[in-house]
Amino acid sequence: MTQFMEMVKIKLDFYNTGVITNYERLTDMKNGELAVSFCADEKEQTVRRLSLAKSNDVMAYHVDKSNGKIRVAIQLQPCDKNNKFNTIKYENGYFYFSSRSDNGRDYGLVMRLIIAGGNVQVANNVVTLKDVNELTILAKPFVNSDASTEFNKIKMELSLIKDSYNKLATKNAAPFKRAFDDTDLELNSDKTEADLKELIDKTSNNELTPELLERLWNFSKYLCVCLDGALLTPAGLWCADNDCEHGVMALDGIAQLLYLGVTRTFTPDSILKLLDFYMSYESDLKKNAARVYGMRGYFVPRITAMDSATFGSVNSATLHFIASSALAANLFYDYYLSTGDEKTLRSKIFPFMRNVFEFYSDFLKLDASGKYITIPSYSPNATPGNLVAGRPLVNFALASSSTIDFLALQTLLNNLINAATLLKTAKDDVAVWKDMLTKIPTFTVNGDGCLKEYTNSVFVDKIENAGVMHGYGLYPLKNFMANDTMITYRPSVIQGANPEAEILASAASVNAVKARVRNAAYYQPTRNLVMAACQLAYGADVTEVKNLLVKIVNSSATPSGLFLSNDWRGSGMTTNDKPNLDIAVSLGVGTAISDCVLQSSANILKVLPILIEPLMVGSVKNLATDFAAKVTMSWDANKGKISLKILPSKNTKIKLIFNEVFHKVKNKDFAWNKELNGIEEVDLVAGKVFSIDIG
């Protein structure tokens, strides 16, 4: 499976005299710099700073010490201590480390020491510095290569760096500064600069402060800049050990949390890097479809094996998750929606979508009523509730016609139709895709008004499951924003009442997600709760979104603001598995906050749909939408005032919907729809700002 692990530790042992005080770890998000500072006997302050160049993967590390000289021992320690290929050496100012992975190729690191003053002692590949005035370390890792070749190449690269640490850090800060200057969220907080732990602790009393949400949103934006789609996930940087399951990029939720948020920032290109990764293994995608299913086209697995796009596991949960290919294609189409990049849509995204469609066109079969079925099928993190010989199924990953298959397929077909129409191509195929939409089975609802996890009536939903994928129609697929169909179902009612009723598909999805969150808390990892928060935001459930954000922070946030994969205290608010740092949660929380402020589809914009207390007053700058426009606005919900500006990059028409607290339009030229609480049709012209003021 695609998993990232630590390769080597750079260990610095400082010789300090006295008691360490005032120890702080700082993240300068706007400059992309990490720092640690502390004092010895309240006299000598040591500051260590770390900066990473996204352009060339060179890490720069600097040590400053006031009122004294630097004394430190430096060494490299392999993380996989049992690997027989571990090699470490130090020569003339350079450390070299290499080892070998299971695929037979080398990985390692070259590290250069830049020292001013003092003296240097070397023994057993440990470098001891005494009375040094200044220390800078430059390091660069490599993977899947030949160690001797990389040693020479990286040494040359590091030797040519003449800039001081401060100059390097200034250059490295450029992408972070751009993101923080271009996009912004400001809430009406006192900016107390309170310790983050204090703000987190307030959630124990059900309190979410504006300052906390603003900081969490900014940290999510910082991580968006750090994200590198070519590496699938940055989670390995945050794993507590080499056995971190959350270092795996999976298309059943983690990928969506990692990547959908970046489309709301100025860093969507990481999604294209992910697409390029898959396309570099096009032959693997075709082999997946042909060898496992005997089908044409691409099959994109839930998880992939190392250095390939082949199946990362042979268990049913990976082999038979049929929706994963469509979910991948839809993720890439989201890039087009947010950017309007028609060139990339034509050259990369649309061809990828068509190859994914080819698999489904072969795989799908019709039942007696002329509707599609998927056999085999899997709904992730779920087991059907059927009884066999009076006993429940346990870890049963096989089913047929999982609801997520058809939610994902429906979105794929609509995206193909819209893309082909825009690009004026594949006219014959459009007719086929439209016909296929009529053959998607009607979604079914159980007696409690919850959307069922399987359209096949043979399979019974089991409430004690972690999965929330039958809520994907709300988010991230947004199937119901433009067309929310009614579903007939048989409710559990008092005897004598009407045995049939109708419910909106979105409302049934909301009920299904809420049932899983409330009744299966012990099975839910934190990332599922974050996905549920986004889903319920698109389901317009203000109370539940607020409760989930409180629960997520209260149960799984560390004092530093990083999130764990579950509640480390075992309080029952989440699953009680071994907790690891989970970077997808941090990115997902930022996305959930954005979804409270703005929600969009290709032709709809909802403004402040989830108006919780900490969001009553604030402003946003240049948040992206699914109709290729940037939104800037300021608001005061207490006074019913809002000033909204939309800058589109293409001509389009949208429906504009406001929260009900905003309703007094200043410009009488707008045809205000009271029932909609907005404008039925807004004509947006590429490059021209649309403005509206209310209140």
Side-chain angles (χ1 to χ4, degrees):
M1 64 181 65
T2 304
Q3 184 166 355
F4 292 84
M5 300 182 294
E6 300 167 325
M7 65 166 63
V8 64
K9 295 179 181 178
I10 303 172
K11 186 176 181 182
L12 285 80
D13 286 329
F14 287 88
Y15 296 92
N16 294 296
T17 55
V19 177
I20 300 299
T21 58
N22 299 330
Y23 186 89
E24 288 185 320
R25 293 187 178 189
L26 304 172
T27 301
D28 185 341
M29 293 186 286
K30 192 168 183 177
N31 292 304
E33 188 178 46
L34 306 177
V36 173
S37 68
F38 56 88
C39 294
D41 273 352
E42 300 182 357
K43 298 177 183 177
E44 301 174 356
Q45 183 181 24
T46 300
V47 179
R48 307 192 303 247
R49 296 187 288 160
L50 174 68
S51 178
L52 173 64
K54 286 178 64 68
S55 58
N56 59 11
D57 292 332
V58 172
M59 294 177 284
Y61 183 88
H62 189 71
V63 180
D64 286 321
K65 191 166 185 178
S66 63
N67 304 321
K69 304 289 187 178
I70 300 169
R71 303 184 67 202
V72 62
I74 306 171
Q75 60 181 307
L76 298 181
Q77 294 183 338
C79 293
D80 184 359
K81 297 179 182 178
N82 297 320
N83 193 319
K84 65 180 181 179
F85 295 102
N86 288 339
T87 301
I88 296 175
K89 63 179 180 179
Y90 174 83
E91 292 178 353
N92 302 320
Y94 289 85
F95 272 101
Y96 304 89
F97 161 73
S98 70
S99 194
R100 187 159 297 171
S101 58
D102 293 339
N103 64 7
R105 307 189 74 185
D106 296 335
Y107 63 87
L109 174 114
V110 180
M111 186 169 80
R112 176 188 173 195
L113 303 185
I114 303 172
I115 304 162
N119 61 75
V120 180
Q121 298 177 358
V122 182
N124 298 321
N125 292 318
V126 177
V127 176
T128 302
L129 309 180
K130 294 183 178 180
D131 299 327
V132 168
N133 296 321
E134 192 174 4
L135 169 64
T136 300
I137 297 174
L138 303 177
K140 183 173 182 176
F142 63 88
V143 294
N144 297 325
S145 189
D146 173 71
S148 59
T149 301
E150 293 291 344
F151 282 170
N152 292 328
K153 183 175 71 175
I154 296 176
K155 178 185 177 183
M156 177 63 70
E157 180 180 349
L158 297 182
S159 69
L160 294 175
I161 296 176
K162 305 301 181 184
D163 288 335
S164 66
Y165 172 84
N166 286 337
K167 285 187 177 181
L168 290 172
T170 298
K171 291 179 180 179
N172 296 346
F176 296 92
K177 284 182 177 296
R178 183 166 58 251
F180 275 80
D181 288 341
D182 287 344
T183 61
D184 193 28
L185 167 69
E186 288 193 8
L187 301 176
N188 185 32
S189 67
D190 296 331
K191 300 295 187 300
T192 62
E193 300 299 329
D195 185 85
L196 189 58
K197 183 178 182 301
E198 295 177 27
L199 301 177
I200 292 171
D201 287 344
K202 289 184 178 182
T203 59
S204 297
N205 297 320
N206 204 38
E207 182 181 354
L208 278 177
T209 66
E211 190 171 5
L212 175 62
L213 292 189
E214 189 176 316
R215 288 203 205 178
L216 293 177
W217 189 87
N218 276 314
F219 185 54
S220 177
K221 181 168 64 170
Y222 164 76
L223 292 175
C224 285
V225 187
C226 296
L227 188 70
D228 188 338
L231 297 177
L232 296 184
T233 166
L237 296 174
W238 305 91
C239 293
D241 54 48
N242 289 347
D243 187 27
C244 177
E245 66 170 295
H246 304 292
V248 179
M249 198 286 289
L251 284 165
D252 58 355
I254 294 178
Q256 286 80 4
L257 291 176
L258 285 170
Y259 285 99
L260 284 172
V262 307
T263 62
R264 300 293 170 267
T265 72
F266 275 69
T267 58
D269 288 352
S270 58
I271 295 179
L272 291 187
K273 290 184 180 181
L274 180 62
L275 175 57
D276 289 341
F277 165 84
Y278 280 123
M279 291 311 303
S280 68
Y281 295 107
E282 181 181 18
S283 61
D284 287 343
L285 299 178
K286 291 182 176 180
K287 288 176 184 176
N288 294 338
R291 292 181 177 178
V292 176
Y293 290 103
M295 309 297 173
R296 299 170 301 149
Y298 294 167
F299 189 96
V300 186
R302 181 179 71 95
I303 57 175
T304 63
M306 292 293 287
D307 309 316
S308 75
T310 57
F311 287 91
S313 171
V314 294
N315 62 24
S316 296
T318 298
L319 291 177
H320 304 314
F321 180 36
I322 300 304
S324 61
S325 299
L327 289 172
N330 296 335
L331 184 62
F332 301 134
Y333 189 74
D334 282 334
Y335 164 84
Y336 162 71
L337 289 177
S338 64
T339 62
D341 184 353
E342 191 174 317
K343 180 180 178 181
T344 300
L345 175 66
R346 184 184 299 275
S347 63
K348 293 183 178 182
I349 300 172
F350 187 61
F352 185 91
M353 292 163 62
R354 294 189 72 173
N355 276 289
V356 166
F357 164 75
E358 274 201 338
F359 167 79
Y360 290 108
S361 68
D362 285 354
F363 178 81
L364 293 167
K365 299 294 184 287
L366 295 173
D367 64 12
S369 65
K371 298 294 185 180
Y372 287 125
I373 56 175
T374 53
I375 302 176
S377 178
Y378 172 60
S379 190
N381 305 306
T383 296
N386 300 64
L387 299 178
V388 177
R391 304 178 69 176
L393 295 171
V394 179
N395 298 327
F396 189 79
L398 279 176
S400 69
S401 299
S402 298
T403 296
I404 181 58
D405 296 347
F406 301 111
L407 288 169
L409 176 64
Q410 187 180 63
T411 302
L412 175 64
L413 292 172
N414 280 318
N415 290 345
L416 282 165
I417 293 167
N418 293 333
T421 303
L422 173 73
L423 300 174
K424 296 181 172 58
T425 186
K427 293 182 180 179
D428 293 338
D429 290 330
V430 169
V432 173
W433 297 329
K434 287 182 177 179
D435 179 64
M436 291 180 70
L437 282 172
T438 67
K439 297 174 182 176
I440 289 178
T442 302
F443 299 120
T444 53
V445 180
N446 66 22
D448 296 320
C450 298
L451 189 74
K452 291 184 65 176
E453 196 156 10
Y454 310 94
T455 63
N456 184 343
S457 60
V458 169
F459 291 97
V460 178
D461 282 9
K462 181 181 179 182
I463 200 68
E464 295 83 8
N465 278 328
V468 291
M469 293 212 79
H470 47 321
Y472 268 42
L474 295 166
Y475 182 90
L477 298 175
K478 306 179 185 177
N479 299 61
F480 312 128
M481 277 197 79
N483 183 23
D484 198 350
T485 56
M486 300 290 290
I487 308 172
T488 300
Y489 75 109
R490 294 182 180 274
S492 297
V493 294
I494 300 171
Q495 186 175 4
N498 186 347
E500 292 187 351
E502 285 191 330
I503 188 171
L504 288 171
S506 62
S509 298
V510 166
N511 291 340
V513 174
K514 287 163 67 172
R516 283 288 166 85
V517 170
R518 288 176 176 177
N519 301 322
Y522 189 75
Y523 296 87
Q524 302 289 354
T526 309
R527 63 178 180 273
N528 275 24
L529 298 181
V530 176
M531 182 61 77
C534 295
Q535 290 169 340
L536 295 179
Y538 274 84
D541 197 317
V542 179
T543 301
E544 286 295 331
V545 172
K546 192 250 184 172
N547 290 342
L548 272 172
L549 288 173
V550 168
K551 183 176 182 179
I552 290 163
V553 175
N554 185 240
S555 67
S556 303
T558 65
S560 62
L562 292 167
F563 283 92
L564 299 175
S565 56
N566 53 275
D567 181 6
W568 55 274
R569 292 161 294 194
S571 67
M573 285 196 279
T574 69
T575 182
N576 198 27
D577 295 337
K578 174 188 174 184
N580 279 298
L581 291 171
D582 191 346
I583 210 70
V585 173
S586 291
L587 280 160
V589 166
T591 300
I593 295 168
S594 295
D595 289 341
C596 291
V597 177
L598 289 175
Q599 294 175 13
S600 64
S601 67
N603 54 10
I604 296 174
L605 178 65
K606 294 183 178 181
V607 180
L608 288 162
I610 306 297
L611 192 55
I612 55 179
E613 181 61 33
L615 298 177
M616 292 296 286
V617 181
S619 65
V620 293
K621 176 184 174 185
N622 286 336
L623 286 193
T625 67
D626 283 353
F627 48 88
K630 305 292 185 184
V631 174
T632 296
M633 67 177 185
S634 59
W635 70 91
D636 186 337
N638 297 310
K639 298 178 180 179
K641 292 184 176 181
I642 189 167
S643 178
L644 172 73
K645 291 179 172 57
I646 305 173
L647 177 61
S649 61
K650 65 176 185 179
N651 295 343
T652 191
K653 296 179 186 293
I654 66 165
K655 182 182 296 185
L656 182 57
I657 305 170
F658 289 87
N659 188 287
E660 61 185 9
V661 302
F662 307 106
H663 51 82
K664 294 181 180 179
V665 188
K666 290 185 176 181
N667 190 331
K668 301 303 181 182
D669 294 335
F670 295 118
W672 188 262
N673 185 318
K674 290 184 178 181
E675 183 178 352
L676 184 70
N677 201 55
I679 306 173
E680 185 67 38
E681 189 173 279
V682 174
D683 286 313
L684 297 178
V685 180
K688 184 177 180 180
V689 175
F690 169 86
S691 300
I692 184 170
D693 292 304
I694 298 175

